Amino acid sequence: METPTTPAIATPTPALPPAEDVVPGQTHTAEDDVASLEAKIKLLTNLHKSVNDLRQVPGHLLRPQSALSSVLPILQSEQMRLHEEFEKIKSVSEKLRSAETQDALTFAKNSESKDRTGIVHNRRRREQSTTPSGAPSPESPQPYVSFQPVNPSLFPAWDGSTLPLKLVELPAYIKDYNRTHQFRLHIWSYRRRSESDLAPPIIVRFTIRDVLSVYVTLDTTPDGSLITESATVFGPREKKPPHSQSDYLVYQALSQQLLKMVHSQPLVPFQQVMSLLESYANLFVQRCSACQRVVSLEGHVPPVARIWVPDPAEEGRWDARHATCPRH
């Protein structure tokens, strides 16, 4: 009688790395893993720095090519600098799409999904190895802080000592203003009309020589007082109608700021609007009172925002700010 034999049990063979990863005569060590990890970390760190550097690139360069038509007058005046900025964007884009970077990003994603221990988002990095002892380490860029005044109305309180200007008083006001100021104010119209033919809406053109021209659209309250509906700003040599838009970013930004000011207090007297417009006489040389720069780091425009600052010694003044600079 034959003794039953026990079937042979197959012993699994240890899996080997793919053939292309195996180098004859070379052993893969833990030191190799550490070196590879350090290389990936260094690559991603440098990429993060390059992306952050793009924050200094003018915002209009990051738009699609079709959206650059409105800033061509600016581009033509600074071609060399803009060429360098374009090359910077192109270089970062190519680095981001490279196979080496994509492999490092995939590795980091997989590592994070396996173990998130010690990962805290939005924590500021402090590179002790590259920072001299005792010196403050570089910090991550601060979040965008919008220009938000405390008072919902951006105009000073109307003291009532001077009555709001009325429609019938506008022609005399314009004549007196042009006689006593260095700026110019005129009634603008598609057709010629007399003073007795004035009827809302009325458009007046305010001009600061070699700085800007502003078309202000006026309406009236039931008692005949003038109120401002809108204001559109153009360059001093732009020949455009009031309902259009300037070709320059700085005047577009200024138009938006003036509209924001007017909407904050729809019934603001016309005299206060004129006081605001006069504060832009030094638009291209006046420094922002918050960052002490003429041109902002973000947007590359002068301080187009204005905030009223009371002054015990005087009536007060309009303070120049960049729209992206905080009030305090």
Side-chain angles (χ1 to χ4, degrees):
M1 185 174 179
E2 297 182 358
T3 304
T5 59
T6 303
I9 300 177
T11 303
T13 303
L16 297 175
E20 60 271 20
D21 293 337
V22 177
V23 179
Q26 181 176 344
T27 304
H28 189 78
T29 64
E31 287 77 7
D32 295 332
D33 291 336
V34 172
S36 175
L37 179 60
E38 289 179 344
K40 289 182 173 62
I41 293 175
K42 183 177 180 181
L43 174 65
L44 294 181
T45 300
N46 292 336
L47 179 64
H48 180 265
K49 182 180 183 301
S50 299
V51 172
N52 277 340
D53 288 343
L54 292 183
R55 291 174 177 266
Q56 310 303 326
V57 175
H60 53 261
L61 298 188
L62 302 179
R63 301 178 184 174
Q65 188 67 27
S66 60
L68 292 176
S69 58
S70 63
V71 295
L72 284 179
I74 298 178
L75 297 181
Q76 292 170 355
S77 65
E78 45 183 15
Q79 286 183 342
M80 292 300 297
R81 187 178 69 84
L82 294 176
H83 177 72
E84 296 176 359
E85 302 292 2
F86 274 120
E87 290 299 321
K88 184 185 298 185
I89 296 174
K90 180 180 178 182
S91 174
V92 174
S93 177
E94 292 175 349
K95 184 185 300 184
L96 183 60
R97 290 197 299 262
S98 68
E100 186 180 15
T101 300
Q102 292 299 315
D103 177 62
L105 289 171
T106 302
F107 179 86
K109 181 179 179 182
N110 294 337
S111 176
E112 180 184 6
S113 63
K114 293 178 181 178
D115 183 8
R116 299 177 58 89
T117 303
I119 297 180
V120 180
H121 292 289
N122 296 327
R123 186 172 64 181
R124 296 174 178 175
R125 296 175 178 266
R126 300 184 178 273
E127 301 179 3
Q128 300 295 338
S129 59
T130 60
T131 304
S133 177
S137 61
E139 298 180 344
S140 299
Q142 298 300 303
Y144 171 84
V145 180
S146 179
F147 178 80
Q148 295 292 343
V150 176
N151 186 353
S153 171
L154 304 182
F155 287 92
W158 185 251
D159 57 9
S161 59
T162 304
L163 295 177
L165 189 69
K166 295 185 180 297
L167 176 60
V168 296
E169 302 169 339
L170 181 60
Y173 174 85
I174 292 177
K175 292 178 182 179
D176 181 67
Y177 185 89
N178 291 335
R179 186 172 59 252
T180 57
H181 292 76
Q182 59 179 327
F183 314 123
R184 288 294 171 261
L185 186 64
H186 301 280
I187 295 177
W188 186 92
S189 177
Y190 289 101
R191 58 181 178 83
R192 190 179 185 87
R193 58 182 180 179
S194 63
E195 295 180 2
S196 60
D197 192 27
L198 293 181
I202 297 173
I203 299 177
V204 296
R205 185 171 185 260
F206 173 76
T207 304
I208 302 178
R209 185 178 179 181
D210 296 331
V211 178
L212 54 77
S213 292
V214 187
Y215 290 103
V216 183
T217 303
L218 303 174
D219 203 346
T220 58
T221 60
D223 67 352
S225 298
L226 290 173
I227 57 174
T228 303
E229 282 192 343
S230 64
T232 308
V233 189
F234 296 92
R237 294 170 184 81
E238 287 188 283
K239 305 298 182 182
K240 291 197 169 191
H243 60 268
S244 60
Q245 176 179 268
S246 173
D247 291 330
Y248 300 93
L249 289 179
V250 58
Y251 297 117
Q252 294 176 19
L254 181 49
S255 296
Q256 295 173 2
Q257 183 64 28
L258 290 179
L259 191 62
K260 176 182 177 181
M261 298 279 289
V262 170
H263 285 178
S264 74
Q265 188 173 339
L267 299 180
V268 59
F270 181 61
Q271 295 98 312
Q272 282 194 319
V273 176
M274 289 301 300
S275 170
L276 170 64
L277 296 181
E278 292 168 2
S279 70
Y280 289 99
N282 299 319
L283 174 64
F284 295 103
V285 296
Q286 190 172 9
R287 296 181 181 275
C288 170
S289 60
C291 68
Q292 299 302 314
R293 293 175 58 93
V294 176
V295 179
S296 62
L297 290 175
E298 190 170 341
H300 295 262
V301 295
V304 298
R306 292 292 184 272
I307 181 172
W308 182 259
V309 178
D311 189 340
E314 303 175 0
E315 295 181 358
R317 69 180 188 279
W318 287 107
D319 210 11
R321 298 287 179 91
H322 294 122
T324 54
C325 285
R327 177 171 180 176
H328 299 293

